Amino acid sequence: MVLALTPIFLILLGLIPSVTWLFFYLHEDMKHPKPILAVLLTFLVGCAVTFLVLPVEIFANEWFIRIGFPLYTIGSFLVLAAIEEVFKFFGAFVSIGQSRWFQEPMDAMIYAITVALGFAAVENIASLFKASDGSFLNIDVIESLILRFVGATLLHSLAGGIAGYYWGKSFFKPAFKWGYIAFGLILVTALHAVFNRLIIDEGRFGGPAGLAIVFVSFVMFFVLSDFEKFKRVDR
């Protein structure tokens, strides 16, 4: 019975980091709560984007091998990070950016974060299935869940928040909309690539992801500051 329910348990466990961080960020905009349907839609869009990104990343990796481009370098991480960040952003932009639910700068941050957390949820579930070895509560599953909660899931949400912040800034200067968006995507691509490089380097030396977690904690300070900037806007 437990074995039969293991996939369900793993899916529920994999959702915990994303849902927890989602509630955290939604609390940042409690004065202007988002419609539940809009939040659910963008979260599901983020989940769907994961399946679009995967074949593109596989193609990119195969292309790297074909041309002799070294894998696991900052260059390859930049390309792969750019793929993920561009797909996540346009998932938010297409699904919600032109809707009646998108009305203020803070919406850009919230919805971009929500898409990013949907994306992270699918990654988390895949990671837990890989670690499970037929058991939904072994030590590898717990370790993976904890590390992804404070590592990759948080990183995805912060990248979404930063991209959303520059998207939101275009409310004030519409003529520079795509300039803001491009700058935000370049910035989060660099941050994402650095995080991935830290994870790989620490893994090679057998250590925990300490530096990567410190890195995302540092970035989080700036994202929360961005929230405060939009809160101070007279809406």
Side-chain angles (χ1 to χ4, degrees):
M1 179 66 175
V2 173
L3 187 61
L5 292 175
T6 292
I8 297 174
F9 288 135
L10 290 173
I11 290 170
L12 293 176
L13 282 175
L15 288 171
I16 288 174
S18 287
V19 172
T20 302
W21 283 118
L22 179 58
F23 276 107
F24 172 82
Y25 290 112
L26 290 175
H27 188 266
E28 287 294 308
D29 196 30
M30 284 296 290
K31 290 185 178 180
H32 299 80
K34 307 305 170 205
I36 294 175
L37 183 59
V39 173
L40 179 60
L41 170 65
T42 47
F43 189 87
L44 292 176
V45 166
C47 294
V49 164
T50 316
F51 297 99
L52 297 176
V53 165
L54 181 59
V56 178
E57 290 188 317
I58 291 173
F59 174 82
N61 271 315
E62 291 175 347
W63 181 69
F64 290 153
I65 293 170
R66 263 199 319 271
I67 66 172
F69 191 83
L71 301 178
Y72 305 114
T73 62
I74 195 64
S76 64
F77 287 139
L78 281 168
V79 173
L80 296 175
I83 293 169
E84 291 191 10
E85 296 306 333
V86 168
F87 269 83
K88 286 187 296 180
F89 172 77
F90 279 100
F93 185 84
V94 171
S95 64
I96 208 80
Q98 311 303 315
S99 76
R100 58 188 172 85
W101 294 319
F102 191 78
Q103 300 175 342
E104 57 187 6
M106 184 73 83
D107 290 349
M109 290 188 72
I110 292 295
Y111 291 130
I113 286 171
T114 305
V115 168
L117 287 171
F119 185 96
V122 175
E123 284 194 339
N124 293 343
I125 291 168
S127 176
L128 295 188
F129 269 91
K130 184 177 180 181
S132 68
D133 194 28
S135 171
F136 78 94
L137 213 57
N138 63 43
I139 188 64
D140 290 335
V141 168
I142 300 302
E143 180 179 317
S144 178
L145 184 66
I146 292 172
L147 288 177
R148 292 197 66 85
F149 182 89
V150 297
T153 306
L154 178 56
L155 182 278
H156 278 298
S157 72
L158 296 175
I162 294 169
Y165 171 71
Y166 285 98
W167 183 17
K169 282 174 71 72
S170 68
F171 271 77
F172 310 114
K173 294 183 178 180
F176 297 98
K177 177 178 180 177
W178 290 106
Y180 280 127
I181 289 173
F183 180 80
L185 289 175
I186 291 170
L187 181 58
V188 296
T189 293
L191 293 174
H192 194 155
V194 169
F195 173 84
N196 286 346
R197 181 58 191 255
L198 289 172
I199 289 289
I200 291 296
D201 285 349
E202 290 182 312
R204 283 173 175 168
F205 293 107
L211 282 177
I213 292 170
V214 170
F215 175 72
V216 293
S217 300
F218 178 73
V219 174
M220 189 172 191
F221 170 81
F222 292 97
V223 173
L224 294 179
S225 175
D226 290 340
F227 269 111
E228 293 303 317
K229 291 173 186 175
F230 280 163
K231 285 180 183 179
R232 290 194 293 268
V233 174
D234 183 13
R235 299 179 291 178

